[in-house]
Amino acid sequence: MLNELVTKYRAWKKYRATYDELSRLSTRELNDLGISRADIGTIARDAMR
């Protein structure tokens, strides 16, 4: 049970780090990467895996 909790916490931290980092980019920088602001949540969720 503790292992599962630690695993979920680490995944959440990775999600937040990815989300926060992408959110700090300007719209132009996101466009250069082929990412729209609407995609940030999906990309961050994918990074959890």
Side-chain angles (χ1 to χ4, degrees):
M1 184 169 134
L2 183 59
N3 254 356
E4 184 179 338
L5 230 120
V6 169
T7 300
K8 286 185 179 193
Y9 176 72
R10 286 180 180 157
W12 175 81
K13 278 186 65 172
K14 192 170 188 181
Y15 168 84
R16 284 307 315 172
T18 303
Y19 189 93
D20 291 344
E21 188 171 338
L22 288 173
S23 293
R24 281 191 294 270
L25 296 176
S26 70
T27 301
R28 182 174 180 170
E29 291 169 320
L30 288 171
N31 286 339
D32 287 346
L33 296 171
I35 300 171
S36 73
R37 289 222 175 264
D39 296 332
I40 291 174
T42 302
I43 292 168
R45 274 189 295 281
D46 288 346
M48 290 176 25
R49 296 182 192 151

